[in-house]
Amino acid sequence: MNAKSQRPGTASGGATYRSAAYTSLLPWQVRERRFVPVGLGRRGLNPDDVYAFLDRVAVDMAAVYAALAESRRETARIKAGLRRSQTDQARARNERDQAR
């Protein structure tokens, strides 16, 4: 795996934190990622490269799901606030109409 496509500070795939220099994977990077075959006498891909890449994909997916969950919580808060506001306005309107 070349250094350009690897997450900083995780050459061995150990840490899962993000540094300020970390850039999230883009869909085209996942689609175009190719792994180097292992050496003589073995078949398949280098497991270290595959696991390091899968770790990076998992970290990015976790970030996306966390952002999605936060967005859904914010949407629920906004909807609840809007409902309260509309209820308050309807009550005020009804009280004005009854006072006439």
Side-chain angles (χ1 to χ4, degrees):
M1 179 180 255
N2 64 19
K4 186 176 178 182
S5 65
Q6 207 172 39
R7 187 172 52 200
T10 61
S12 65
T16 57
Y17 67 91
R18 290 190 192 194
S19 72
Y22 180 81
T23 56
S24 296
L25 284 171
L26 299 173
W28 68 266
Q29 290 173 308
V30 174
R31 282 188 209 102
E32 292 182 3
R33 181 71 171 104
R34 299 296 174 259
F35 299 98
V36 178
V38 291
L40 295 172
R42 293 178 56 200
R43 294 177 8 173
L45 304 172
N46 184 345
D48 292 337
D49 287 348
V50 174
Y51 290 133
F53 186 74
L54 289 176
D55 178 53
R56 185 170 177 189
V57 170
V59 167
D60 284 350
M61 286 180 69
V64 167
Y65 282 116
L68 179 60
E70 177 57 31
S71 175
R72 287 180 174 158
R73 284 190 293 272
E74 183 178 354
T75 299
R77 283 192 303 268
I78 290 169
K79 284 181 178 181
L82 180 59
R83 283 188 198 108
R84 279 192 304 273
S85 175
Q86 289 172 336
T87 300
D88 292 345
Q89 288 177 358
R91 272 194 200 121
R93 190 177 325 112
N94 288 341
E95 290 172 2
R96 277 193 313 264
D97 290 345
Q98 288 177 358
R100 288 185 188 174

